[in-house]
Amino acid sequence: MTTDAVRSPADGLAHHPLVGRPGKVIALHLNYPSRIAQRGRAPARPSYFLKPVTSLAADGGSVERPPGAELLAFEGEIALVIGATARRVSREDAWSHVSAVTAANDLGVYDLRAADKGSNLRSKGGDGFTPLGPELLPAAEIDPAGLRVRTWVNGEQVQDDTSGTVVFPFAELVSDLSQLITLEPGDVVLTGTPAGSSVVGPGDVVEVEVDEPASGRSTGRLRTTVVEGAEPLPEFSAQPAVDDHQRAEAWGSREAAGLEPLFELTEEMRAKLEKVAVATLSAQLRKRGYDQLSIDGVRTNKPGSKLIGRARTLRFVPAREDLFRSHGGGYNAQKRTFDSLGPGDVLVVEARGERGSGTVGDILALRAQVRGATGIVTDGGVRDHTAVAELEIPTFSNGPHPAVLGRKHVPWDNDITVACGGATVQPGDVIVGDDDGVLVIPPALLGDVLDAAIEQEAEEEWIAARVAEGAAVDGLYPLTGEWRRRYDAERAQEGTR
């Protein structure tokens, strides 16, 4: 079927030539592994949002980028059109309630995400933000796992993936939605976009095609042209607003958005940190005016081991019976945080220096180890202290305590700026610990501090050798005068070898 132009949705009479005027348009957040890898978060279950039916548009139309916005992004998708009422249908029966599939473009303005607070209403719901078409493929005649979705921008292919890779199969989505929401004939379900979604601007042409390679069936290319909007939002409306996080999300990566890469704790940096004592790093930080970066009062349960990693944070607030009932049970912030740890993470726990209960025990410490975390730092107590010490992962704490968390704490929130042992810790800070204690190093300082610390330790190793030979420390420690000239000369000679 070839689509005809639709009337403006603003007049309240919009009827799409393929689906008429559906009762609802439901979109899925994440489904394709390629997109999930870009986002860095893996959904355990499908999650959805609604798009207004007035966002529907036909093939060959245009979409406005609102004045003042910079981040209009396309998302090529496979759309399901419901053909028969579905209410609490099984996964096995769900596909029979789908009448057709077609190509969709789930357009959105990232500049309006902050105003939506997660609803996606304005950022994804603008007029023309859901083009569909140009043809329908009968659901009964195709394999839902054998479809392909591709997208082109100005003739260059930018997306290519197949429905056989999705985390949540299409029939499962229909079944899942129908458990609480009755799906009616004409309703549209958008099934997620693969990697490659990015930003487009006025003059760009986006085309999306869904086909079944095995049979040669195709929807044809759904074509949408981006134009600049002429009507700015009134001042009483939430205005477009972006930051670097939204730019990276919209473009697909920081690099694609033209932003500097985020700090990475490289293997070379880790190797250097392994060789440098925390005391030396502390001295170098103090030389640069940083004297508030030690996490005080914590001791390691694995003497002789080194702690190196990037901070993840968890905050406990003082125990209160009603708050513990609402926040302490079930899948609380503590459990969620341990489940989300990744390789190289160090979990830093704000427990206000309270030693009257445990803040971590053997099960959660084991979970952190299995997830690849490199350590745990808490200014509170540790339960199952001996069992925790027997794990490979080091834990720095205020000591053992047998009581459970709820005696003194309520798990409250995570991945925020916290206070631990008198130091302020932000997610992403570099954490280094040894038998002397634990330091927090702001990432921007690490390179300079690390090189200076390595040089300092080389000097101190040379000084110790001279002291062992019987030299007095006056003028030797720290190096001055003749001792300094001698050391510099020997280092220069070593450099020519």
Side-chain angles (χ1 to χ4, degrees):
M1 177 194 313
T2 301
T3 61
D4 299 317
V6 293
R7 298 178 65 181
S8 168
D11 64 12
L13 300 174
H15 282 73
H16 194 282
L18 293 182
V19 296
R21 186 175 177 85
K24 49 192 169 290
V25 178
I26 302 174
L28 182 70
H29 280 110
L30 290 169
N31 202 3
Y32 289 83
S34 60
R35 178 71 160 179
I36 290 168
Q38 278 189 321
R39 285 291 192 249
R41 52 184 185 270
R45 297 289 184 270
S47 65
Y48 312 91
F49 59 94
L50 284 169
K51 300 192 74 171
V53 295
T54 48
S55 71
L56 292 176
D59 175 45
S62 61
V63 62
E64 291 187 358
R65 186 182 70 178
E70 69 173 82
L71 301 177
L72 174 66
F74 64 86
E75 295 182 6
E77 305 201 14
I78 299 170
L80 312 182
V81 182
I82 301 300
T85 300
R87 173 63 171 163
R88 293 178 179 164
V89 299
S90 67
R91 285 183 294 183
E92 294 73 22
D93 187 46
W95 190 248
S96 67
H97 293 261
V98 179
S99 65
V101 302
T102 192
N105 191 345
D106 182 14
L107 291 152
V109 179
Y110 282 70
D111 311 59
L112 296 176
R113 279 175 125 192
D116 281 345
K117 299 188 184 302
S119 73
N120 286 343
L121 179 61
R122 295 205 315 165
S123 62
K124 289 275 195 174
D127 290 353
F129 279 25
T130 317
L132 299 178
E135 301 283 347
L136 296 174
L137 300 182
E141 300 175 13
I142 60 173
D143 176 6
L147 299 173
R148 175 173 61 176
V149 58
R150 293 179 292 174
T151 305
W152 295 261
V153 175
N154 300 327
E156 179 182 351
Q157 186 172 312
V158 292
Q159 289 185 296
D160 186 353
D161 214 328
T162 64
S163 58
T165 71
V166 298
V167 176
F168 308 113
F170 297 162
E172 185 174 301
L173 297 178
V174 173
S175 175
D176 180 39
L177 285 166
S178 76
Q179 303 308 308
L180 292 173
I181 302 168
T182 299
L183 299 178
E184 300 174 315
D187 286 352
V188 175
V189 179
L190 306 183
T191 58
T193 194
S197 165
S198 193
V199 174
V200 286
D204 288 334
V205 176
V206 185
E207 296 173 291
V208 183
E209 179 185 14
V210 172
D211 67 346
E212 186 182 43
S215 67
R217 292 172 176 264
S218 172
T219 63
R221 292 194 186 186
L222 169 69
R223 180 184 174 94
T224 305
T225 302
V226 181
V227 299
E228 185 68 55
E231 296 293 332
L233 294 170
E235 62 180 26
F236 58 79
S237 293
Q239 299 298 307
V242 297
D243 55 23
D244 285 350
H245 173 71
Q246 295 300 343
R247 289 187 177 95
E249 292 251 305
W251 283 94
S253 69
R254 292 183 63 84
E255 291 74 16
L259 302 172
E260 289 291 326
L262 293 174
F263 171 82
E264 179 185 0
L265 186 58
T266 65
E267 289 304 315
E268 180 182 2
M269 291 175 179
R270 289 178 182 273
K272 289 181 178 179
L273 287 168
E274 286 283 357
K275 300 175 182 177
V276 179
V278 164
T280 307
L281 292 166
S282 178
Q284 289 299 326
L285 287 166
R286 186 169 189 180
K287 285 182 179 179
R288 289 156 178 78
Y290 289 84
D291 205 21
Q292 311 295 328
L293 295 175
S294 63
I295 298 180
D296 295 337
V298 300
R299 295 292 179 267
T300 182
N301 63 357
K302 299 184 77 64
S305 65
K306 196 71 173 281
L307 170 67
I308 300 170
R310 301 288 302 281
R312 296 283 305 280
T313 61
L314 172 63
R315 176 177 174 238
F316 295 137
V317 298
R320 205 176 93 178
E321 288 77 4
D322 59 328
L323 295 181
F324 194 84
R325 285 193 295 270
S326 62
H327 288 75
Y331 197 46
N332 59 37
Q334 181 193 42
K335 294 176 181 177
R336 293 195 305 271
T337 303
F338 274 88
D339 266 352
S340 69
L341 292 176
D345 287 342
V346 173
L347 180 60
V348 180
V349 180
E350 176 184 333
R352 311 175 311 285
E354 173 56 59
R355 302 178 62 181
S357 76
T359 56
V360 63
D362 58 345
I363 298 298
L364 290 180
L366 177 60
R367 180 60 173 158
Q369 177 176 298
V370 169
R371 293 284 299 170
T374 56
I376 301 167
V377 180
T378 172
D379 61 355
V382 171
R383 294 184 72 221
D384 314 307
H385 194 270
T386 299
V388 172
E390 290 174 351
L391 296 174
E392 297 175 8
I393 188 172
T395 296
F396 289 73
S397 73
N398 232 325
H401 199 283
V404 295
L405 181 72
R407 181 171 185 262
K408 293 289 184 179
H409 306 288
V410 179
W412 199 251
D413 47 14
N414 65 305
D415 290 329
I416 59 168
T417 300
V418 299
C420 183
T424 298
V425 183
Q426 293 193 298
D429 282 341
V430 178
I431 307 296
V432 186
D434 62 17
D435 292 354
D436 281 345
V438 180
L439 279 180
V440 182
I441 305 178
L445 297 179
L446 182 62
D448 183 38
V449 167
L450 190 50
D451 289 341
I454 290 173
E455 178 58 34
Q456 178 183 332
E457 293 213 337
E459 283 189 16
E460 292 180 353
E461 183 179 347
W462 189 87
I463 292 168
R466 304 294 79 76
V467 171
E469 293 168 355
V473 295
D474 184 31
L476 176 61
Y477 185 57
L479 287 171
T480 58
E482 182 58 33
W483 282 117
R484 164 59 68 183
R485 286 188 288 274
R486 179 178 167 184
Y487 172 77
D488 289 344
E490 290 188 17
R491 290 283 285 179
Q493 186 174 7
E494 290 175 2
T496 62
R497 292 174 183 174

